Amino acid sequence: RERRAEALERLPGVTRERFLRDVYPRRKPVVLTGLELGTCTTKWTTDYLSQAEGSKEVKIHVSAVPQMDFLSKNFVYRTLPFDAFVRRAAEVKHKEYFLTEDEKYYLRSVGEDVRKDIADIRKQFPILAEDVHIPEYFEKEQFFSSVFRISSAGLQLWTHYDVMDNFLIQVTGRKRVVLYSPRDAPYLYLSGTKSEVLDVDNPDMEKYPLFVKAKRYECVLEAGDVLFIPALWFHNVISEEFGVALNVFWKHLPAESYDKTDTYGNKDPMAASRAIQILDRALKTLEELPEEYRDFYARRMVLRIQEKAYRNDYG
């Protein structure tokens, strides 16, 4: 069923000052165009990428279907030399493959030790890092990670939210991004930070009847565009062409709000995690009561939460 999407605003040549004054405080996604991103936008052909970083090994996601699902894990992890991976990701049909001849590839760069190190293009891909000028519209000490990404044409990533603000810098290729406001979380069938609704264009309305209530925002990122995704906004990314992107995450909250063991930038803030644990304990306690009492006190708890924590301008 067709649901009208609201197109994201596209703003040309936004300076750091204007971004911080006019765009950032609104906490809404926006596409920034015409920013100075360095030579990467012209240099990063498949030949150049292959030769620049050579045959060092990278761990990649490989999927037999275009829609990658992190909940059912319908993909496998494999390792390839970087140059071989780039060539394969740029092809539509493969002579050499792991699963099927039209399998999809996805690289999300990680630190040397995934448990301890964050992704940082300057460390993992130092030669390519020299070609990129990251728009630093945040303070140096707020920087969290810079994630290098390469996707096959047609690949769709699961809908999820991150707990930090980020820029998705589309260096080459075209992406379509569908976004949902944090306020529409009740309609997105969440499992942790991820939504169970994979196919946002043709959702299964029998399985996900409330999804129709979620307001859809959409944009197409051309090479050189930068999408600002505020923390907690859900996003689903479809690579319409083979493409290379860079995600830059920064800490919007005070540093101590975040989980120190979080190398991906997607663990809930410490206070939120504690609150959810307390709520789980409260719900467990309610199980000691008969059903009608449990129902009554659960409704009272919901009212308390709405009264104390919901914003009044809830739309």
Side-chain angles (χ1 to χ4, degrees):
R1 159 182 350 181
E2 271 307 302
R3 280 191 310 290
R4 293 221 324 277
E6 182 170 316
L8 291 191
E9 201 176 356
R10 293 175 68 84
L11 298 175
V14 173
T15 60
R16 176 186 165 125
E17 291 67 34
R18 186 177 160 214
F19 177 76
L20 292 174
R21 187 188 67 226
D22 302 337
V23 180
Y24 200 47
R26 284 167 33 203
R27 311 297 301 151
K28 279 200 153 175
V30 65
V31 180
L32 307 175
T33 66
L35 297 188
E36 180 43 61
L37 301 174
T39 55
C40 55
T41 47
T42 49
K43 266 169 102 171
W44 285 8
T45 60
T46 48
D47 286 347
Y48 174 77
L49 290 168
S50 309
Q51 164 236 315
E53 294 288 349
S55 60
K56 72 163 178 203
E57 303 227 301
V58 286
K59 190 177 179 186
I60 53 170
H61 300 65
V62 183
S63 173
V65 294
Q67 282 167 335
M68 268 194 194
D69 180 0
F70 201 82
L71 293 171
S72 72
K73 298 278 197 291
N74 66 348
F75 52 84
V76 293
Y77 290 106
R78 291 291 180 264
T79 304
L80 275 178
F82 183 73
D83 49 2
F85 156 70
V86 169
R87 283 196 293 274
R88 282 209 209 175
E91 305 166 340
V92 177
K93 285 266 187 280
H94 315 292
K95 286 193 176 66
E96 295 178 62
Y97 51 85
F98 297 109
L99 306 170
T100 62
E101 61 173 6
D102 53 1
E103 65 194 13
K104 305 290 181 195
Y105 298 95
Y106 172 56
L107 166 71
R108 183 230 190 264
S109 66
V110 291
E112 297 311 307
D113 178 340
V114 184
R115 286 181 304 280
K116 293 202 290 273
D117 303 326
I118 53 149
D120 186 340
I121 190 173
R122 293 167 298 192
K123 292 181 183 155
Q124 287 102 41
F125 299 92
I127 296 163
L128 295 177
E130 287 176 19
D131 302 333
V132 187
H133 175 74
I134 291 173
E136 290 193 358
Y137 288 14
F138 48 88
E139 298 302 324
K140 284 257 189 291
E141 61 274 12
Q142 287 180 287
F143 171 83
F144 176 71
S145 66
S146 51
V147 182
F148 184 62
R149 300 180 190 269
I150 297 184
S151 310
S152 292
L155 181 80
Q156 182 170 12
L157 289 181
W158 53 91
T159 306
H160 67 285
Y161 70 87
D162 300 293
V163 298
M164 292 185 199
D165 290 342
N166 79 86
F167 279 152
L168 172 55
I169 302 166
Q170 191 63 23
V171 181
T172 70
R174 187 196 297 125
K175 279 198 174 91
R176 181 162 63 92
V177 187
V178 175
L179 304 102
Y180 300 95
S181 158
R183 299 202 175 179
D184 283 341
Y187 315 130
L188 296 178
Y189 297 87
L190 296 188
S191 176
T193 61
K194 300 159 190 75
S195 165
E196 289 176 20
V197 187
L198 269 194
D199 189 344
V200 291
D201 295 322
N202 300 290
D204 180 338
M205 294 317 285
E206 280 185 16
K207 204 171 176 187
Y208 308 117
L210 295 177
F211 184 68
V212 74
K213 293 186 175 187
K215 182 176 177 183
R216 173 187 177 118
Y217 296 80
E218 197 167 315
C219 67
V220 171
L221 296 182
E222 304 287 352
D225 287 348
V226 176
L227 170 61
F228 166 52
I229 307 177
L232 310 182
W233 273 77
F234 295 88
H235 45 288
N236 179 291
V237 181
I238 302 113
S239 295
E240 299 199 329
E241 301 169 341
F242 163 76
V244 184
L246 184 66
N247 248 151
V248 184
F249 291 87
W250 68 92
K251 296 171 181 174
H252 166 58
L253 307 176
E256 60 277 10
S257 307
Y258 300 99
D259 187 327
K260 296 278 181 290
T261 65
D262 185 9
T263 56
Y264 285 97
N266 60 8
K267 287 191 179 176
D268 291 315
M270 304 288 276
S273 295
R274 286 200 306 276
I276 288 167
Q277 284 167 0
I278 294 165
L279 176 64
D280 287 341
R281 285 205 297 278
L283 293 170
K284 192 119 191 72
T285 309
L286 280 186
E287 286 173 15
E288 295 169 20
L289 293 166
E291 190 181 23
E292 69 186 292
Y293 282 79
R294 204 163 59 225
D295 180 284
F296 174 68
Y297 288 103
R299 286 171 196 270
R300 279 192 59 189
M301 284 163 70
V302 168
L303 289 170
R304 286 280 287 280
I305 291 172
Q306 280 181 325
E307 200 177 286
K308 293 273 185 212
Y310 279 21
R311 281 165 56 171
N312 295 332
D313 58 348
Y314 191 79

